[in-house]
Amino acid sequence: MTPMQRLDAAFDSPPAGQRERLQAAWLASGLADARAPLPLHNMGEAPLVMSERLHAELGQRLRGLCGWLQARVETGAWADDAQWPGITRPDVLAADLAVVQAPEAPGGWALHWVEFQAFHSVTVAAQALHLAWQALYPALLQGLQPHELPAGQASWHQAMRDWLAPLPGGVLLEHAPLAQATAFDLLPTATLLGLALAEPHQLRCEQGVLQRQVDGEWMDVPQVLNRLILHEDPQGEATARLLAQARAVRWRGHPAWFDRIHKGLLPQLPLPADERCAPLAQWRALGRPAQALVLKSARSWGGTGVRLQVDAAELDALAATVDAPHWIVQPRYQAFPLATARDGAPLYGELRCMLALPPDGPPWIAARLARLSRGSMASARSWSGLPGEGLAPVYAPPGSPRTF
């Protein structure tokens, strides 16, 4: 049994200009900004429905990760951070998993962790993509949603506001937002939540209160939805000092979490032997030759900082540097096709789940996406517009139980 089913199997041939029609529907979804449209080559050619087994195993992985992180919160793992006092509980988790070849498993495939991080990204774009497909083929997607809202909540929009911007006003913080590769998600997120876009240099802190200048007047900022990665900000150290002074502000996605929860924690997860990771300095403890490992930077994202071809000399040399703690090694795997493109080419990829972590309730799934590629590296940087590549909304099989 395949892990995914395309939802357009009824179509014998692609409608003319399919990606153009999808982009137009995406722009009309109410969750898009014409200043930063989702590029055509980022759009996959069909929504996907998980098999019952994939849905069950994905749920098991997500529950296990959330439980592991909750245990760390309860034991005070981040309670003694002098730089960011009081920032002790993450509110978001982006989890990426790959479907890999596993000859001994049913169907010849299994799930493996790729990475995870406490960072907000592409949640609104995923919903916009779902709405675009729904507008084009309403019967095909009837009753399907790429998310699982909190119990008793029927509105995705309201759930997002309750989660990310519970107070009126505030800002979405990012450096050079219009220049970001994810501007297609960032701009409509600010609009949806009623947040002003702000860059660090536009803020100040007065007696613990964060403020933004509006029409020559400094206005208090009650809440911040953060998309800023401090070490990518040209004034990162000054920005960190400014934000550390802001005590009277409600945070979502505090910048501290990018450096706390990321793929660098994978070696600490209790994983099966064939999936176990290690800090770079301990790569030989895995008992695998260097050529069977992938080297990853814990501080990278979007497929950067990944070295697929390494040897023992390279690993040992990097392990002897001061940067060694920022690197891990992960067993190399062979990707298993998630779907097939219209021209018959196999499509490989990763599943991304965006999880909301409310302080007073169980996690819930804000978005599910697949990133599909014709090669084994599921990175947007490799997409060239070939059939099948791009982002696709992912749905649970009808009638399946909730994940949380």
Side-chain angles (χ1 to χ4, degrees):
M1 180 180 292
T2 58
M4 290 281 197
Q5 175 187 348
R6 289 172 60 120
L7 278 177
D8 64 345
F11 300 113
D12 295 327
S13 61
Q18 173 80 317
R19 279 181 165 137
E20 287 78 5
R21 295 173 68 238
L22 185 61
Q23 187 183 63
W26 182 84
L27 286 168
S29 68
L31 296 175
D33 191 306
R35 292 175 294 172
L38 183 64
L40 286 174
H41 66 271
N42 281 19
M43 295 183 171
E45 65 182 13
L48 300 172
V49 175
M50 292 182 284
S51 68
E52 291 185 359
R53 180 188 153 209
L54 178 58
H55 179 254
E57 294 192 10
L58 177 63
Q60 185 178 27
R61 291 289 186 131
L62 296 178
R63 289 189 297 272
L65 178 61
C66 288
W68 183 79
L69 287 173
Q70 178 61 27
R72 291 178 65 88
V73 169
E74 292 175 353
T75 56
W78 298 288
D80 299 323
D81 188 336
Q83 182 181 12
W84 307 113
I87 308 299
T88 60
R89 181 182 292 273
D91 52 65
V92 65
L93 192 61
D96 294 349
L97 296 103
V99 177
V100 307
Q101 294 182 23
E104 73 288 349
W109 59 268
L111 272 180
H112 275 205
W113 280 110
V114 176
E115 63 176 305
F116 52 82
Q117 57 190 119
F119 193 67
H120 298 272
S121 183
V122 305
T123 305
V124 171
Q127 181 69 4
L129 201 54
H130 159 69
L131 294 176
W133 278 109
Q134 192 177 60
L136 294 180
Y137 306 109
L140 207 61
L141 272 67
Q142 186 174 7
L144 297 177
Q145 299 289 346
H147 51 251
E148 294 179 13
L149 300 182
Q153 177 60 270
S155 168
W156 178 86
H157 290 73
Q158 189 59 50
M160 289 290 290
R161 294 187 184 103
D162 292 345
W163 172 35
L164 295 179
L167 302 177
V171 302
L172 191 159
L173 182 63
E174 175 61 291
H175 169 67
L178 288 173
Q180 297 297 323
T182 55
F184 62 83
D185 176 78
L186 191 151
L187 300 185
T189 297
T191 301
L192 170 71
L193 301 175
L195 301 173
L197 287 172
E199 299 188 54
H201 67 84
Q202 297 170 329
L203 303 176
R204 76 176 186 183
C205 192
E206 290 291 313
Q207 298 181 340
V209 176
L210 198 64
Q211 296 181 330
R212 181 175 71 97
Q213 195 168 31
V214 181
D215 297 329
E217 183 180 355
W218 287 97
M219 307 293 291
D220 291 354
V221 176
Q223 64 185 351
V224 177
L225 173 59
N226 180 63
R227 292 283 284 267
L228 177 71
I229 300 174
L230 282 173
H231 70 260
E232 295 185 354
D233 179 4
Q235 306 297 323
E237 292 186 4
T239 299
R241 289 194 296 270
L242 169 70
L243 299 180
Q245 299 171 28
R247 307 298 189 200
V249 62
R250 177 172 291 189
W251 284 94
R252 288 296 184 267
H254 192 284
W257 292 113
F258 188 87
D259 291 318
R260 289 176 176 177
I261 296 178
H262 46 61
K263 65 178 76 70
L265 294 182
L266 279 169
Q268 301 180 35
L269 275 183
L271 298 175
D274 64 336
E275 203 177 341
R276 197 168 299 144
C277 304
L280 170 59
Q282 300 172 27
W283 71 269
R284 283 188 170 82
L286 294 178
R288 297 172 181 269
Q291 292 76 10
L293 299 173
V294 174
L295 179 65
K296 291 186 173 184
S297 168
R299 307 188 77 190
S300 65
W301 59 277
T304 62
V306 177
R307 302 185 191 178
L308 299 177
Q309 305 292 335
V310 293
D311 57 31
E314 181 181 0
L315 294 180
D316 287 339
L318 185 57
T321 69
V322 295
D323 289 331
H326 298 306
W327 294 85
I328 66 166
V329 289
Q330 191 172 28
R332 179 185 296 275
Y333 57 76
Q334 296 296 317
F336 188 93
L338 276 174
T340 303
R342 289 184 183 274
D343 63 357
L347 296 174
Y348 306 94
E350 298 172 359
L351 296 172
R352 163 157 289 193
C353 292
M354 295 300 302
L355 303 178
L357 306 178
D360 54 356
W364 55 275
I365 297 175
R368 276 188 299 248
L369 271 178
R371 294 181 291 188
L372 301 172
S373 300
R374 293 164 73 99
S376 58
M377 183 77 171
S379 170
R381 290 175 172 82
S382 68
W383 292 338
S384 60
L386 290 172
E389 293 191 327
L391 299 172
V394 171
Y395 305 99
S400 55
R402 291 180 59 89
T403 301
F404 297 97

